[in-house]
Amino acid sequence: MPKFATPKGTFDILPAYLCFENWHSSEAWHEVESTFIQEAQKAGFHRIQTPIFEQTELFYKSTGETTDIVGKEMYSFEDKSGRSMTLRPEGTPGTLRALVNCSAHQTANINKVFYSGPMFRYERPQKGRYRQFHQFGIELIGPKCPYMDIEVISIAWAAYQRLSLDRGVRLEVNSIGSTKERLNYRHALVEYFKSNQKALSADSLRRLETNPLRILDSKEEQDVELIASAPIIWNYLNTQSIDHFETLCTGLEACAIPYHKNPRMVRGLDYYNDTVFEWVSDDLGAKSSIGGGGRYDKLYHQLGGPDLQGVGFACGLERVIMSYLQQKNECQTDRKNAIIIAIGSHCHKRAMALAHALRAFGQKIEYYPIDHPKKIKNAMSWADTMGYRYALIFGEEELDNLQIQCKDLSSRTQFSCKLEPSIIYENIVEKSSNK
Ligand code: HAM
């Protein structure tokens, strides 16, 4: 019978022993998600859960019409009554809508909530970028104060530290000032890019009309040089905005949170003002954002609440889990034992005999027969998930040469060894034993 694949850009989260890729493991998910939850709870944040679909209008009003998310990436549909609904592309709008609707501001002066769940963006899938992905996020609604920004950043930082990601990530911070300051800056940017418009990429040319600040995010080679000489927002900030930014920076230093100021980081959502920040990591191949956030002082009011300010953060759990597992693998010293991967039925007899002989030395040896070399990836991922130190690979060629291929899963090195149980035991298995 034909089977159904998961939709493009989505994946299942499964028990570790059923996973092809270790970051799909529900155990890893639980470990990472609960670390963020615990750090938020330690700071007095409470869980909130909102629907995964909302009225489309909510995202137009908050995330912003000219953003890539609203313009290109939303999963919108008409329900049976003809109302336009959208699968949430991010958690902030629904969370603020919920807080406004339950008049949270009447109960508490400062509302602190966290959420964790699936988000949906129609993006081109690649490693670390999915159509259904998961965010852990926190939102803090209360008075405008740079220490609230630091509070949010410090919770995320504590979680990254606990997951040992602190060395692999870089916190970038910026101030994008008030709406008025940004408007002046926007004029200056448009003028600058218009006078260089022939050199701009097609995408940036389009953004010049719709959302010129987003040109600063372009990674296109032809744009990068132009961006490096573009005006920077700091020259358009007034004293109040500069003070807010400076207090933020000195506060981060007081908390010993390392950061880098990046005047060209603007973030792709319309609701931000003043503080914006992002954690970037190289762990996923290309430089990618594993979390980000900022201050949004108009949003609560725009969604029908009183004039209250806010700040928040969200991270993509997939990206955090991938980086976390990568770090963990790199530091892994406690891998133990070995697995024998026998490729093709003609090898099974010798491989089974080898497993039996090695077990006679008192070792734990898993026997893992596969019927085709294509399944080796699958077998290796099993060996990885199970924490084996060595994969002893045994195929037709090895059988002919009376050799066995040994893959050290700690150092990721490979070497061959004579197919002789006592030699294999002495050289490999004994070193990695549980004894
Ligand atoms: P964002 O930067 O759009 O911000 O997303 C936050 C994080 O979600 C990113 O840093 C990234 O790790 C992850 N992410 C985004 N898109 C994808 C994707 N397609 N696949 C995998 N991971 C992805 C927000 O969503 C804001 N709501 C954050 C915030 C909260 N600002 C204030 N409060």
Side-chain angles (χ1 to χ4, degrees), residues 149 153 174-176 244 248 272-277 293-295:
D149 307 7
I153 292 175
N174 190 21
S175 169
I176 54 167
H244 188 100
L248 171 88
Y272 292 127
N273 61 275
D274 292 282
T275 309
V276 286
F277 59 90
R295 172 156 284 286

Side-chain angles (χ1 to χ4, degrees), residues 107-363:
T107 313
N109 288 335
I110 305 182
N111 281 285
K112 301 173 186 174
V113 293
F114 71 84
Y115 50 85
S116 183
M119 308 290 156
F120 306 85
R121 295 184 193 175
Y122 191 84
E123 293 198 76
R124 201 147 39 89
Q126 61 178 51
K127 188 179 176 192
R129 196 206 284 150
Y130 305 95
R131 291 185 173 168
Q132 174 174 328
F133 60 101
H134 298 74
Q135 279 186 346
F136 169 86
I138 56 185
E139 312 293 350
L140 190 160
I141 307 296
K144 180 171 180 176
C145 162
Y147 293 103
M148 300 282 143
D149 307 7
I150 298 168
E151 167 88 315
V152 165
I153 292 175
S154 73
I155 292 168
W157 179 242
Y160 289 137
Q161 275 186 311
R162 265 182 63 189
L163 294 168
S164 306
L165 296 183
D166 45 333
R167 268 164 290 121
V169 296
R170 174 184 163 97
L171 170 64
E172 301 197 339
V173 296
N174 190 21
S175 169
I176 54 167
S178 65
T179 314
K180 194 165 161 234
E181 290 155 3
R182 226 163 26 257
L183 208 63
N184 290 336
Y185 176 54
R186 188 190 152 112
H187 286 316
L189 263 190
V190 169
E191 211 168 283
Y192 170 79
F193 283 124
K194 275 211 164 135
S195 62
N196 291 289
Q197 120 176 30
K198 281 200 187 114
L200 278 180
S201 68
D203 230 17
S204 292
L205 262 182
R206 184 181 52 79
R207 285 179 170 153
L208 191 55
E209 299 304 323
T210 54
N211 198 343
L213 264 70
R214 294 294 290 163
I215 298 177
L216 300 176
D217 283 340
S218 171
K219 307 278 177 288
E220 296 282 334
E221 217 174 290
Q222 64 194 102
D223 296 333
V224 171
E225 221 171 284
L226 269 187
I227 293 168
S229 312
I232 59 169
I233 184 123
W234 296 345
N235 297 330
Y236 297 82
L237 300 181
N238 66 21
T239 343
Q240 232 181 335
S241 302
I242 292 172
D243 279 354
H244 188 100
F245 190 42
E246 279 176 358
T247 313
L248 171 88
C249 293
T250 50
L252 289 174
E253 281 154 30
C255 295
I257 301 175
Y259 68 93
H260 300 266
K261 292 183 191 171
N262 178 357
R264 295 198 167 80
M265 193 251 304
V266 288
R267 307 237 331 119
L269 303 142
D270 271 4
Y271 45 68
Y272 292 127
N273 61 275
D274 292 282
T275 309
V276 286
F277 59 90
E278 204 158 75
W279 268 282
V280 286
S281 158
D282 293 325
D283 280 351
L284 309 175
K287 199 173 158 203
S288 67
S289 154
I290 65 162
R295 172 156 284 286
Y296 44 77
D297 291 336
K298 298 262 189 312
L299 190 55
Y300 200 73
H301 187 52
Q302 271 166 11
L303 297 180
D307 197 7
L308 283 174
Q309 290 74 50
V311 55
F313 153 84
C315 66
L317 286 174
E318 288 74 7
R319 295 182 189 179
V320 177
I321 289 167
M322 282 178 182
S323 304
Y324 165 65
L325 292 174
Q326 197 164 312
Q327 296 280 341
K328 205 170 159 182
N329 265 349
E330 277 164 18
C331 314
Q332 193 124 14
T333 51
D334 58 349
R335 288 180 165 273
K336 289 187 177 77
N337 303 313
I339 183 169
I340 296 178
I341 300 170
I343 312 163
S345 52
H346 44 287
C347 299
H348 291 178
K349 192 170 75 185
R350 276 302 281 271
M352 182 68 245
L354 175 65
H356 183 69
L358 291 174
R359 284 177 199 147
F361 287 110
Q363 301 304 312

